[in-house]
Amino acid sequence: MKLILFFAITFFSLQTLQAQDTNEVSEAPVLEAKDVDVQPEFPGGIENCYTFFYKNFKKPEVPELIGKIFLGFIVETDGSLTDIRSIKDPGFGTGAEAERVLQLSPKWVPGKKDGKRVRVRYILPIGIHTE
């Protein structure tokens, strides 16, 4: 019985420690892009980002749709993207599709402030034009 109690306490202690570690990351401050020394970056630069995006984006079947999608997200200290949201889009499902594509993104190079990796809120404008 004591052995079972020992394992139960150990298990719950480890779960609590893991939850605290996870919360520390999400509770770290999120800086605006203008406030960091080094901007977060898609691997290979912004042109590679747009190439990746357009390669994976499925355009709606709406003739002559012209507009911009503004995607907001957080680049985490490990380069992963969280809190991906379409801030503004021309409609016809373009915002949801853009969010889907950004979920596929490889990890970014994180932003830095004072030489340390930081969480950065980033806004990515995407131009859309259908024929």
Side-chain angles (χ1 to χ4, degrees):
M1 183 67 174
K2 288 182 182 179
L3 188 59
I4 293 173
L5 184 60
F6 171 77
F7 284 122
I9 290 172
T10 303
F11 174 76
F12 288 117
S13 296
L14 288 175
Q15 293 296 341
T16 303
L17 287 174
Q18 288 175 348
Q20 287 174 349
D21 289 343
T22 303
N23 291 338
E24 285 179 25
V25 171
S26 64
E27 292 176 7
V30 177
L31 302 177
E32 298 299 323
K34 65 180 177 59
D35 297 327
V36 297
D37 302 325
V38 178
Q39 295 289 319
E41 184 178 52
F42 186 89
I46 195 69
E47 288 187 23
N48 282 351
C49 179
Y50 287 122
T51 299
F52 169 83
F53 186 86
Y54 291 122
K55 178 181 177 187
N56 292 287
F57 185 81
K58 296 175 186 162
K59 293 181 183 179
E61 294 184 23
V62 177
E64 299 183 27
L65 175 64
I66 299 173
K68 277 198 174 185
I69 302 169
F70 291 89
L71 291 168
F73 52 94
I74 296 171
V75 180
E76 298 290 344
T77 57
D78 68 353
S80 62
L81 305 183
T82 60
D83 197 27
I84 298 170
R85 297 178 188 192
S86 172
I87 299 168
K88 184 178 179 184
D89 65 68
F92 304 100
T94 57
E97 175 62 7
E99 290 175 12
R100 182 195 70 80
V101 171
L102 208 50
Q103 293 283 349
L104 302 173
S105 173
K107 288 188 175 186
W108 286 42
V109 177
K112 291 186 179 181
K113 176 77 175 176
D114 299 325
K116 296 180 182 176
R117 294 177 176 192
V118 291
R119 300 174 74 208
V120 180
R121 184 173 316 283
Y122 196 91
I123 296 177
L124 180 67
I126 305 284
I128 298 298
H129 179 236
T130 62
E131 298 173 12

